[in-house]
Amino acid sequence: MEVVQVLHMNKGEGETSYAKNSVVQKKIISIETSIIKEAVQKCLEKNFPDSMGIADLGCSTGPNSLMVISDVIDTIYATSNQKEIPLPEIRISLNDLPGNDFNSIFISLPEFYNQLKKEKNIGQEGCFISGVAGSFYGRLFPKKSLHFVHSSSSLHWLSQVPRVLDSNILKPLNKGKIYISKSSPRSVLDAYLSQFKRDFTLFLKSRSEEMVVDGHMVLSFIGRVSADPASGESCMQWELLAQALMSMALEGIIEEEKIDSFNAPSYAPSAQEVRSVVEEEGSFTINCLEAIEIEWDGGQQAVKTIRAVAESMLEVHFGKEIMDELFKRYAELVGDYISKTRAKFFYLVISLTKKG
């Protein structure tokens, strides 16, 4: 599966769209606000640039897309007033994969600019917003052009399914599952971890070339506190989805082989795994690394969130015609699980500074 081609949040404003089902992601951004504010302020402590480069990686679409940017601009504006220094030219790059619904973001920009002008007297000549389509697992920007980088709810997505899983179609390693589970062999767990390490290392290396010395970066993504990658806190949403698919296979609605050949291109790392990659890559200093517990939002809302995020990949592999039935069954399983368990997952939030 070519992740770059098939991964995107559900587009538009419909009932299953990401725009209407990204409450959890909004909650994470709200929690990050103080960390983002502190990071931006530190960017401006040693050097108040005439032109400041900012990138939001994995910006997606919907109301959250400009939320972080608003917070960053607010902090720059307040800091410039406090220091009685002219506001720098602000260059903002919104990045996501080519399939992202950039159009809905661009349509909302005139209103965003009007608000900036009204509240802060910042016109389009002082704030330049552009879209950058491409994978952040590689270079996206010129060298030393960025002062602050942010990414939320994105880095748990891998650049690809681990190769060993894709190359064992005739004898699937993770039979009946679509992600790491309690029944997965050790080779599956190792493959996912290795892919995460490769991807995150490349992400850090790419950003280190694009950022100025003492530039700051704040990242948040799904992770775990358990040392066990098969723990429910990081796997249950995929485990229940596999169960829904298998129930359809038992009734002959889909082929079981289809399930065996699908593996989610996602990984929820532990804090220690993240720390280890950062330290080994060597370009950044860790300012803070926190785990935030998030409870699943009610049965139906949790299902809508997962559908908005994962449906594009599932549709390509299993066919559009089964999606409503799949998520109907998934909703029943999620409802049953939540009735018996305090369902939760974890986000990791890390703040980094580019070394000299």
Side-chain angles (χ1 to χ4, degrees), residues 151-206:
S151 180
S152 184
S153 300
S154 296
L155 275 160
H156 48 266
W157 293 112
L158 301 172
S159 67
Q160 62 178 56
V161 172
R163 284 195 181 92
V164 68
L165 299 181
D166 259 356
S167 62
N168 282 271
I169 302 302
L170 296 179
K171 190 179 179 182
L173 296 177
N174 207 21
K175 193 167 177 58
K177 304 296 180 181
I178 62 174
Y179 183 60
I180 295 168
S181 74
K182 292 291 185 183
S183 64
S184 298
R186 186 72 225 181
S187 58
V188 171
L189 279 60
D190 291 343
Y192 269 104
L193 176 57
S194 294
Q195 186 63 51
F196 168 74
K197 285 182 174 179
R198 281 194 297 273
D199 283 346
F200 194 40
T201 298
L202 182 55
F203 175 89
L204 294 171
K205 184 177 185 300
S206 300

Side-chain angles (χ1 to χ4, degrees), residues 211-266:
M211 294 177 68
V212 300
V213 172
D214 292 325
H216 282 66
M217 183 157 61
V218 175
L219 314 171
S220 66
F221 44 92
I222 294 175
R224 65 182 200 276
V225 294
S226 170
D228 179 10
S231 62
E233 70 193 34
S234 60
C235 298
M236 191 49 63
Q237 66 269 34
W238 298 112
E239 179 69 22
L240 296 176
L241 195 53
Q243 290 177 23
L245 287 164
M246 284 299 291
S247 73
M248 297 175 76
L250 289 172
E251 294 177 25
I253 299 172
I254 58 175
E255 297 175 355
E256 190 171 336
E257 290 76 11
K258 278 275 189 182
I259 302 169
D260 294 339
S261 62
F262 181 89
N263 296 281
S266 179

Side-chain angles (χ1 to χ4, degrees), residues 15 59 65 86 179 224 244 290 298:
E15 285 304 308
C59 65
S65 295
Y179 183 60
R224 65 182 200 276
E290 302 176 6

Side-chain angles (χ1 to χ4, degrees), residues 276-345:
S276 175
V277 174
V278 173
E279 291 175 351
E280 189 172 330
E281 195 279 329
S283 299
F284 294 88
T285 300
I286 298 175
N287 303 314
C288 70
L289 175 54
E290 302 176 6
I292 299 169
E293 181 179 311
I294 303 290
E295 290 197 26
W296 288 25
D297 279 342
Q300 287 299 325
Q301 188 53 55
V303 171
K304 287 180 178 179
T305 299
I306 295 296
R307 182 169 187 171
V309 167
E311 187 170 20
S312 65
M313 297 179 297
L314 294 165
E315 192 175 286
V316 167
H317 191 82
F318 294 102
K320 185 176 183 178
E321 65 279 0
I322 73 155
M323 289 298 109
D324 287 342
E325 178 63 22
L326 170 60
F327 284 99
K328 176 185 173 184
R329 295 179 185 226
Y330 186 52
E332 292 171 358
L333 290 166
V334 169
D336 183 59
Y337 177 71
I338 288 178
S339 71
K340 299 173 181 176
T341 311
R342 181 172 169 261
K344 62 184 178 181
F345 57 95

Side-chain angles (χ1 to χ4, degrees), residues 54-56 59 65-66 69 90-96 102 105-106 109 112-113 124 127-133 140-141 146:
I54 297 154
D56 190 22
C59 65
S65 295
L66 297 174
I69 297 307
I90 302 172
R91 295 175 282 109
I92 296 169
S93 299
L94 301 174
N95 156 260
D96 214 309
F102 283 103
I105 302 175
F106 297 152
L109 286 181
F112 183 79
Y113 278 123
Q124 281 187 249
C127 179
F128 303 90
I129 301 176
S130 61
V132 178
L140 290 166
F141 307 100
L146 299 177

